[in-house]
Amino acid sequence: MEKDFNRIEATVMGPNGRWLSLADLPPPDTKRWVPRRKAEIVAAVRGGILSLDEACARYALTVEEFLGWQRNVERYGLRGLRATQTQEGRRDEGRGSRGPQEQHHHA
């Protein structure tokens, strides 16, 4: 396969400190969203590898879901992208209070 030397492949620093390109991102059919994968998508959008619309279409995400990932990685780093942390953040935002929150567990 011939490489196009006039095209520079976009790269961005990933959450683990290594450079990522479009080829390094999780596959579009990813079902298990571990924090590292979410952070890679956030980094790719921030770094211009994917637009927000492209990321949402590629990974079947809503804009709100992606923005939640972005907000949580900005506030809490990778630990903010754990599913339970994200769910708790959504509950807290929905209530509009900053006081202690009840714990609800879904089966």
Side-chain angles (χ1 to χ4, degrees):
M1 185 184 303
E2 200 170 306
K3 190 156 180 100
D4 181 3
F5 291 104
N6 293 324
R7 182 174 167 250
I8 297 173
E9 185 173 27
T11 58
V12 65
M13 183 66 66
N16 293 335
R18 60 177 255 261
W19 290 99
L20 299 172
S21 68
L22 184 61
D24 298 314
L25 297 178
D29 62 349
T30 296
K31 300 290 185 240
R32 187 165 179 263
W33 285 102
V34 296
R36 178 188 48 81
R37 290 181 184 146
K38 293 176 185 179
E40 288 173 347
I41 303 308
V42 170
V45 171
R46 281 184 177 165
I49 292 176
L50 291 172
S51 70
L52 174 60
D53 289 338
E54 289 169 333
C56 289
R58 179 178 170 121
Y59 296 107
L61 303 171
T62 64
V63 171
E64 292 78 16
E65 186 172 21
F66 174 84
L67 293 176
W69 291 0
Q70 182 172 286
R71 184 175 47 251
N72 284 339
V73 79
E74 288 170 357
R75 289 181 183 172
Y76 309 110
L78 281 177
R79 73 177 181 86
L81 295 174
R82 292 191 319 245
T84 54
Q85 179 75 25
T86 302
Q87 291 164 357
E88 289 169 6
R90 285 182 185 153
R91 281 198 306 272
D92 292 349
E93 290 170 8
R95 291 194 178 131
S97 71
R98 295 191 181 266
Q101 304 297 323
E102 290 179 27
Q103 294 294 323
H104 296 281
H105 298 283
H106 301 282

